[in-house]
Amino acid sequence: HGLPFEASFDGSSIVAHSGPREGEAWRKAGYWRLDFVTKVLIALAVVGIQTMFVATVLPPGVISAHSARLPLKAVFLVDGSGSVTPQQWKTGRRANQQFVSDFAKVYGSDEGKLNFGFVQFSDAAFVELPLTSDLDSVTTRLGSMTQRGGDTNFADALGACQTMLDGYTQVADN
């Protein structure tokens, strides 16, 4: 339409079929066919949406919702030195009990998924509770732990924590 001769367009070139330009052809230079570009963009959009859905529902490395949480090994380093007042000591114990309780709510009752230990430091490091998955003994020990008093020396306590974490092998299998 609008040309002084008859021509056809196949998506990439125009070919004249009559008139003074019969047999001449004009090609697009450097442009892809619109139908091809549209199909590629739609395919990329579908793949992108699928990828976002899969990543949201099942993050990398997760086989199922049950295996989503790896076992937790945590050693609480508790300051039992004389610089901590009796009220601060009680508040700290309650906070630690709340940490344990909150983790238990999130992890549920799966045996071996939660493993806690306590090291108190003052003049020296004292392992108050070795790493264990027995949450009853964890809460009992937290409730009965007494402040030792003395100086604030946590270097040995950090070493004790590292030793406990490195040597503990009783975590649940994934």
Side-chain angles (χ1 to χ4, degrees), residues 5 7 9 12-16 21 24-28:
F5 53 88
F9 178 67
S12 64
S13 60
I14 299 174
V15 178
R21 305 229 178 226
E24 291 182 16
W26 297 270
R27 266 195 167 281
K28 290 184 192 180

Side-chain angles (χ1 to χ4, degrees), residues 4 10 15-16 24 26 44 51 54-55 92 99 103 110 113 122 124 128-129 135 145 147 166 170:
D10 67 359
V15 178
E24 291 182 16
W26 297 270
L44 287 173
T51 303
V54 168
F99 277 129
F103 275 116
D110 291 345
K113 288 287 189 171
S122 57
E128 297 288 347
L129 180 71
L135 292 183
M145 193 180 341
Q147 184 177 5
D166 290 343
Q170 297 169 339

